[in-house]
């Protein structure tokens, strides 16, 4: 049994990480940490079994208690691993602290706020003498429909002809994620395009990888369609792969009357279309449609992390290197947009 702690008590930790941890038989939730005592207690009350609570800021006028601080949690010998689900800017320091303490880490995407910080963090990890596992949580890579779509791309085979990623959405003013202060006034590039965009890029890259293709260059234009969604909420771009094939990437969180997410990969032998609940595969033999229930993939992701701990090796889909590549594609899209369509190379 692996003792695990959940660091963070926000929306995703409450709605996804907590039930995911409790769904894995080999994981035993020991503790929950949050910046505030009240939020830590709230999440702990939702746990299936009693857990210890740690925090920085006590409720009311109470004084900070070192025995309840994060360092005390990380010093516990019965806690082998941590799931880190904190605001983007707060995560790197906690990742470093947990790794230094010898804890296996599953940290939420994006791996960092930008490529420079991500590379620094990866460098820090590589320099550790004793390396616990560090995995980055990109649940799209574990969404059952997307995993199956990758299998279909491999089965279709052939050489890449073209591809497209289209995501249109509308973030309401009352949206639970928008109402979190660090997302409402982001102190990092891209706003929702960074926080959510890495998901969609990860999905596209998962399918392209079945054809041994990676995105190497992007050129696009960005815009702010809804003034609330600073600094930009939309990017439309052309992307190039290592074999010189081009496709399109269109992501917007500011299209009120158009919503949906879909990825399509076309090869010399057929095509695979994906959305979260459907796959359509087309070849010379005909067309096949498969239906799926909508799933976040978080439980599958958590199970994969637990299995990685047991065998002592992180899955490729959860490596910091993969998360860095997702992040770099998004950052180069944003930089290209700032430069009014200037071509940007993706080098990670």
């Amino acid at each position: 049994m692996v003792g695990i702690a959940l660091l963070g008590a926000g929306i995703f930790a409450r709605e996804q990480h907590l039930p995911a941890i409790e769904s894995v038989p080999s994981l035993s939730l020991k503790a929950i940490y949050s910046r505030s005592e009240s939020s830590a207690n709230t999440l702990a009350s939702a746990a299936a079994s009693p857990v210890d609570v740690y925090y920085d800021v006590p409720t009311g006028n109470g004084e900070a208690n070192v025995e309840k601080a994060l360092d005390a949690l990380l010093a516990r010998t019965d806690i082998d691993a941590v799931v880190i689900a904190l605001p983007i800017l707060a995560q790197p320091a906690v990742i470093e602290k947990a790794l230094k303490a010898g804890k296996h880490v599953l940290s939420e995407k994006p791996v960092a706020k930008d490529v420079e910080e991500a590379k620094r963090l990866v460098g820090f990890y590589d320099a550790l003498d004793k390396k616990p596992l560090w995995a980055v949580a990109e649940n799209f890579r574990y969404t059952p429909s997307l995993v199956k779509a990758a299998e279909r791309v491999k089965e279709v085979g052939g050489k890449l002809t073209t591809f497209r990623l289209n995501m249109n959405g509308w973030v309401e003013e009352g949206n639970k994620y928008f109402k979190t202060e660090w997302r409402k006034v982001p102190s990092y590039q891209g706003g929702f395009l960074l926080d959510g965009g890495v998901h969609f890029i990860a999905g596209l890259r998962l399918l392209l990888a079945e054809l041994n293709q990676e995105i190497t260059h992007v050129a696009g234009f960005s815009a702010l369609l809804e003034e609330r969604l600073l600094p930009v909420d939309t990017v439309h771009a052309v992307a190039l792969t290592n074999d010189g094939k081009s496709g399109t990437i269109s992501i917007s969180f500011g299209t009120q009357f158009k919503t949906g997410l879909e990825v399509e990969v076309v090869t010399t032998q057929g095509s695979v279309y994906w959305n979260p609940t459907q796959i359509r595969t087309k070849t010379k033999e005909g067309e096949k449609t498969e239906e799926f229930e909508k799933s976040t993939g978080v439980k599958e992701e958590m199970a994969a992390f637990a299995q990685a701990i047991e065998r002592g090796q992180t899955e490729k889909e959860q490596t910091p290197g993969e998360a860095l590549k997702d992040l770099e594609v998004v950052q180069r899209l944003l930089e290209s947009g700032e430069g009014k369509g200037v071509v940007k190379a993706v080098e990670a």
Side-chain angles (χ1 to χ4, degrees), residues 191-339:
F192 275 86
L193 284 178
L194 173 65
D195 195 20
V198 287
H199 280 314
F200 316 130
I201 295 301
L204 174 61
R205 290 187 56 245
L206 183 69
L207 301 193
L208 291 177
E210 295 298 336
L211 301 170
N212 298 313
Q213 294 297 294
E214 277 283 4
I215 296 170
T216 60
H217 295 80
V218 296
F221 293 88
S222 58
L224 180 62
L225 302 182
E226 172 53 53
E227 292 184 1
R228 292 181 290 104
L229 305 179
L230 297 169
V232 290
D233 59 18
T234 300
V235 63
H236 300 296
V238 174
L240 199 68
T241 71
N242 47 288
D243 274 359
K245 299 300 188 295
S246 62
T248 58
I249 296 174
S250 177
I251 304 173
S252 179
F253 287 91
T255 53
Q256 185 173 5
F257 300 105
K258 182 177 175 60
T259 60
L261 168 62
E262 54 188 18
V263 178
E264 187 169 20
V265 173
V266 184
T267 80
T268 53
Q269 294 183 188
S271 66
V272 176
Y273 164 92
W274 170 87
N275 69 47
T277 60
Q278 187 182 83
I279 298 172
R280 293 199 302 268
T281 306
K282 185 182 294 184
T283 65
K284 291 180 179 179
E285 283 70 42
E287 185 171 337
K288 177 183 178 182
T289 299
E290 300 170 87
E291 305 290 342
F292 295 82
E293 291 186 5
K294 197 166 186 178
S295 169
T296 64
V298 177
K299 288 184 178 180
E300 292 85 352
E301 166 188 82
M302 195 66 66
F305 179 55
Q307 291 164 9
I309 293 173
E310 290 177 8
R311 68 173 175 269
Q313 184 176 0
T314 303
E315 286 193 351
K316 179 179 182 293
E317 290 80 4
Q318 292 185 330
T319 58
E322 285 298 302
L324 173 57
K325 290 176 183 177
D326 298 337
L327 171 61
E328 184 172 6
V329 173
V330 173
Q331 181 166 323
R332 301 312 174 212
L333 287 168
L334 294 170
E335 291 172 347
S336 180
E338 290 176 4

Side-chain angles (χ1 to χ4, degrees), residues 1-6 18 20-32 49-51 76 78-82 302 306 309:
M1 187 70 73
V2 176
I4 195 165
L6 178 53
L18 177 59
I21 290 170
E22 293 179 337
S23 73
V24 181
S26 64
L27 298 179
S28 175
L29 184 63
K30 301 290 186 181
I32 288 173
S49 301
V51 297
R76 286 177 53 166
D78 63 334
I79 294 177
D80 309 292
V82 296
M302 195 66 66
I309 293 173

Side-chain angles (χ1 to χ4, degrees), residues 26-104:
S26 64
L27 298 179
S28 175
L29 184 63
K30 301 290 186 181
I32 288 173
Y33 159 84
S34 182
R35 189 183 69 85
S36 72
E37 180 182 6
S38 60
S39 60
N41 280 326
T42 298
L43 184 56
S45 68
S49 301
V51 297
D52 297 322
V53 169
Y54 293 80
Y55 49 86
D56 297 327
V57 181
T59 301
N61 298 318
E63 295 184 1
N65 183 349
V66 293
E67 293 182 358
K68 288 295 183 179
L70 177 59
D71 286 345
L73 182 156
L74 294 176
R76 286 177 53 166
T77 57
D78 63 334
I79 294 177
D80 309 292
V82 296
V83 175
I84 304 177
L86 296 169
I88 291 172
L89 298 183
Q91 286 212 147
V94 178
I95 292 170
E96 289 187 32
K97 182 173 285 194
L99 290 171
K100 282 181 179 178
K103 308 303 182 186
H104 303 301

